[in-house]
Amino acid sequence: GRVQIDAMKHDIQMLQGSKFDTVIGKFRDSSVSTIWFYYPDTPRDYTFLEEYNKFAGWMKGMIRVCAVNCQEDGPFCKQQGVRGEKDTPKVKIYPTHPVPEYFYDGQLFGGALSGKVARLIPSKVTQIGNDTAAASFLAAEPTKPKAVLFTEKKGAPLVWRALSSELVFQRTVAFGVIAKGSADGATSDFEVSEFPAVVMQRGLGKGKQVDRYSG
């Protein structure tokens, strides 16, 4: 088989070396990205396509998952440290600054790669541990809407972390998470009875608007 990445079938973004800064470089302050360097006629790369696409599907909307055809873009692959056909499949991970880029050295399975990359996704989520902290979080920056996740689990899930660090949301929404039992007053005030639930609060006082989403 031959590696053919189809935008209709795959969640992988094809990348040309000349577009690296536009697609990945300029977002390194806030976003994680990966590049799979491949040669289309190499059996190992053909086998890896399915695994990389699984990974891309799981990470959709949270990181940039890209691929570079080294047969067509040899100089860029060489510049990035790929030493030829015997060296692929090769995945390079580009964490947020200041962490330097590096080659993934784990098992070539979608799940293993996901586990490695998920830990690198930055978080701007406020962990709210009691009602005093909840009140402070909700009162801060009155013009910025607050999105609060009420959960039975500790910590913020991956999607919530990824949303909080997305550039547009960083400027426009504050994200918080409350674990069940840690801020009962806020849980009661927002009439949360089922977990998980998301509450969005806009404004304060008489002008306050609250939307609830559960399930």
Side-chain angles (χ1 to χ4, degrees):
R2 192 170 201 272
V3 176
Q4 291 181 304
I5 296 173
D6 183 339
M8 301 299 287
K9 293 181 187 174
H10 302 113
D11 292 312
I12 301 163
Q13 181 178 351
M14 284 300 299
L15 178 68
Q16 294 175 313
S18 59
K19 299 279 197 280
F20 174 82
D21 284 334
T22 307
V23 176
I24 292 177
K26 74 176 185 180
F27 296 106
R28 291 267 324 264
D29 283 337
S30 61
S31 298
V32 177
S33 304
T34 62
I35 296 179
W36 164 35
F37 298 95
Y38 73 91
Y39 284 85
D41 296 310
T42 303
R44 292 185 309 277
D45 281 307
Y46 180 72
T47 303
F48 184 59
L49 171 59
E50 186 180 345
E51 292 297 326
Y52 195 63
N53 192 53
K54 279 184 200 170
F55 162 73
W58 293 330
M59 292 289 161
K60 193 171 184 177
M62 294 187 278
I63 72 164
R64 288 172 175 77
V65 178
C66 302
V68 171
N69 181 341
C70 291
Q71 192 168 290
E72 296 177 355
D73 219 336
F76 176 70
C77 293
K78 191 174 181 182
Q79 178 200 329
Q80 289 293 313
V82 179
R83 297 187 299 267
E85 286 186 50
K86 291 181 180 177
D87 205 22
T88 61
K90 198 94 169 169
V91 176
K92 189 174 259 195
I93 299 171
Y94 301 82
T96 52
H97 288 314
V99 182
E101 65 200 54
Y102 62 93
F103 281 116
Y104 169 69
D105 60 1
Q107 292 181 305
L108 293 173
F109 295 112
L113 183 55
S114 294
K116 187 80 171 179
V117 172
R119 294 195 290 269
L120 299 171
I121 293 177
S123 176
K124 302 291 183 184
V125 177
T126 300
Q127 303 279 346
I128 299 168
N130 54 51
D131 284 317
T132 304
S136 299
F137 172 75
L138 293 166
E141 297 183 275
T143 58
K144 188 183 269 193
K146 311 298 186 302
V148 183
L149 171 67
F150 290 83
T151 175
E152 291 181 296
K153 299 174 182 176
K154 287 196 172 183
L158 183 59
V159 173
W160 204 241
R161 284 164 43 205
L163 284 171
S164 75
S165 61
E166 202 276 330
L167 269 178
V168 173
F169 286 140
Q170 271 191 54
R171 293 195 299 267
T172 57
V173 180
F175 287 79
V177 63
I178 294 176
K180 188 176 183 180
S182 61
D184 291 336
T187 305
S188 173
D189 288 347
F190 284 118
E191 299 172 11
V192 172
S193 56
E194 292 181 18
F195 296 80
V198 172
V199 171
M200 175 74 89
Q201 176 180 301
R202 296 174 178 84
L204 293 169
K206 290 181 180 177
K208 182 170 75 174
Q209 283 183 291
V210 176
D211 296 307
R212 295 173 190 82
Y213 313 88
S214 62

